[in-house]
Amino acid sequence: MAEHSRAVFLGVIDSITVPPASAPPSFSAIVVRQPDTGGSVQTKAPLRSGADTGHTGPRRSSGAGRLRLIWIGQRQIPGIAAGTTLKLEGMVSAADGMPTIYNPRYEIISSQESR
Protein backbone atom coordinates (compact mmCIF):
# COMPACT_ATOMS: atom_id res chain seq x y z
CA MET A 1 0.00 0.00 0.00
CA ALA A 2 1.29 3.45 -0.87
CA GLU A 3 2.19 5.53 2.13
CA HIS A 4 -0.12 8.40 1.10
CA SER A 5 -2.66 8.81 -1.69
CA ARG A 6 -5.48 11.24 -2.45
CA ALA A 7 -9.02 9.83 -2.26
CA VAL A 8 -12.60 10.85 -2.93
CA PHE A 9 -15.10 8.65 -1.10
CA LEU A 10 -18.90 8.56 -0.85
CA GLY A 11 -20.08 6.67 2.19
CA VAL A 12 -22.17 6.41 5.32
CA ILE A 13 -20.94 6.98 8.88
CA ASP A 14 -20.97 3.55 10.52
CA SER A 15 -19.72 4.54 13.97
CA ILE A 16 -18.10 7.34 15.92
CA THR A 17 -15.57 7.29 18.75
CA VAL A 18 -16.13 9.39 21.83
CA PRO A 19 -12.78 10.00 23.55
CA PRO A 20 -12.63 10.60 27.30
CA ALA A 21 -12.65 14.22 28.48
CA SER A 22 -9.07 13.82 29.70
CA ALA A 23 -7.82 12.94 26.18
CA PRO A 24 -6.64 15.60 23.70
CA PRO A 25 -9.56 16.83 21.57
CA SER A 26 -10.25 14.71 18.50
CA PHE A 27 -13.31 13.33 16.74
CA SER A 28 -13.14 10.10 14.80
CA ALA A 29 -15.59 8.08 12.76
CA ILE A 30 -15.66 5.01 10.57
CA VAL A 31 -17.29 5.44 7.17
CA VAL A 32 -18.31 2.61 4.82
CA ARG A 33 -19.15 2.72 1.13
CA GLN A 34 -22.73 3.68 0.53
CA PRO A 35 -24.50 0.33 -0.03
CA ASP A 36 -26.90 1.36 -2.80
CA THR A 37 -24.27 3.09 -4.97
CA GLY A 38 -21.19 1.04 -4.18
CA GLY A 39 -19.46 4.23 -3.12
CA SER A 40 -17.08 6.27 -5.19
CA VAL A 41 -13.43 5.80 -4.47
CA GLN A 42 -10.68 7.39 -6.52
CA THR A 43 -7.38 6.43 -4.99
CA LYS A 44 -4.19 4.65 -5.99
CA ALA A 45 -4.07 2.70 -2.72
CA PRO A 46 -6.60 -0.06 -1.98
CA LEU A 47 -8.88 0.42 1.02
CA ARG A 48 -8.26 -2.33 3.54
CA SER A 49 -9.98 -3.10 6.80
CA GLY A 50 -8.34 -3.26 10.20
CA ALA A 51 -9.25 -3.54 13.83
CA ASP A 52 -11.52 -0.73 14.95
CA THR A 53 -12.10 -1.33 18.62
CA GLY A 54 -13.51 1.41 20.82
CA HIS A 55 -16.11 2.59 18.31
CA THR A 56 -19.79 3.05 19.05
CA GLY A 57 -22.76 2.64 16.75
CA PRO A 58 -24.22 -0.02 14.50
CA ARG A 59 -22.06 -2.27 12.34
CA ARG A 60 -23.19 -2.46 8.72
CA SER A 61 -20.13 -3.86 7.00
CA SER A 62 -17.80 -6.82 7.19
CA GLY A 63 -14.83 -4.45 6.78
CA ALA A 64 -14.52 -3.99 3.01
CA GLY A 65 -14.46 -0.36 1.94
CA ARG A 66 -14.05 1.02 5.47
CA LEU A 67 -12.22 4.26 6.10
CA ARG A 68 -11.36 6.00 9.39
CA LEU A 69 -11.79 9.78 9.64
CA ILE A 70 -10.04 11.80 12.33
CA TRP A 71 -10.57 15.50 12.97
CA ILE A 72 -7.80 16.75 15.25
CA GLY A 73 -8.74 19.46 17.74
CA GLN A 74 -12.49 18.79 17.51
CA ARG A 75 -14.63 17.01 20.13
CA GLN A 76 -17.65 16.90 17.82
CA ILE A 77 -18.58 17.80 14.25
CA PRO A 78 -22.10 19.25 13.84
CA GLY A 79 -24.24 17.12 11.52
CA ILE A 80 -22.02 14.04 11.64
CA ALA A 81 -23.55 11.02 13.38
CA ALA A 82 -24.07 7.33 12.62
CA GLY A 83 -26.12 7.03 9.42
CA THR A 84 -25.01 10.37 7.91
CA THR A 85 -24.00 10.19 4.24
CA LEU A 86 -20.82 12.10 3.38
CA LYS A 87 -18.73 12.90 0.33
CA LEU A 88 -15.12 12.97 1.55
CA GLU A 89 -11.82 14.08 0.13
CA GLY A 90 -8.35 13.92 1.58
CA MET A 91 -5.01 12.19 1.84
CA VAL A 92 -5.28 8.55 2.87
CA SER A 93 -2.58 7.06 5.06
CA ALA A 94 -2.38 3.83 7.02
CA ALA A 95 -2.85 4.24 10.78
CA ASP A 96 -3.00 1.12 12.95
CA GLY A 97 -3.55 -1.01 9.84
CA MET A 98 -6.60 0.92 8.62
CA PRO A 99 -6.86 3.55 5.86
CA THR A 100 -7.28 6.92 7.59
CA ILE A 101 -7.91 10.51 6.51
CA TYR A 102 -6.95 13.25 8.96
CA ASN A 103 -9.03 16.45 8.84
CA PRO A 104 -10.91 15.46 5.66
CA ARG A 105 -12.85 17.85 3.50
CA TYR A 106 -16.45 16.72 3.63
CA GLU A 107 -19.91 17.47 2.35
CA ILE A 108 -23.00 16.18 4.13
CA ILE A 109 -25.33 14.65 1.54
CA SER A 110 -29.04 14.87 2.32
CA SER A 111 -31.10 11.68 2.08
CA GLN A 112 -32.91 13.09 -0.98
CA GLU A 113 -29.62 13.74 -2.80
CA SER A 114 -28.18 10.29 -2.06
CA ARG A 115 -31.07 8.39 -3.70
Side-chain angles (χ1 to χ4, degrees):
M1 178 177 196
E3 191 168 319
H4 297 286
S5 61
R6 191 141 201 77
V8 175
F9 191 89
L10 178 65
V12 177
I13 298 292
D14 183 49
S15 61
I16 60 170
T17 300
V18 180
S22 60
S26 70
F27 181 85
S28 68
I30 301 295
V31 66
V32 294
R33 285 188 187 150
Q34 191 169 8
D36 56 345
T37 65
S40 174
V41 179
Q42 298 169 357
T43 178
K44 294 179 182 176
L47 293 177
R48 296 186 185 146
S49 65
D52 58 309
T53 59
H55 298 282
T56 60
R59 298 284 178 221
R60 287 188 278 279
S61 172
S62 62
R66 295 170 66 88
L67 182 66
R68 179 186 299 128
L69 310 173
I70 298 176
W71 285 269
I72 300 192
Q74 303 288 322
R75 291 222 180 259
Q76 62 180 344
I77 306 291
I80 296 184
T84 303
T85 301
L86 297 175
K87 179 181 178 186
L88 303 155
E89 183 177 346
M91 294 298 290
V92 178
S93 61
D96 297 326
M98 183 170 206
T100 302
I101 299 178
Y102 291 91
N103 298 320
R105 290 183 180 206
Y106 68 95
E107 177 182 346
I108 295 173
I109 307 295
S110 75
S111 58
Q112 291 178 350
E113 289 180 66
S114 63
R115 291 183 190 176

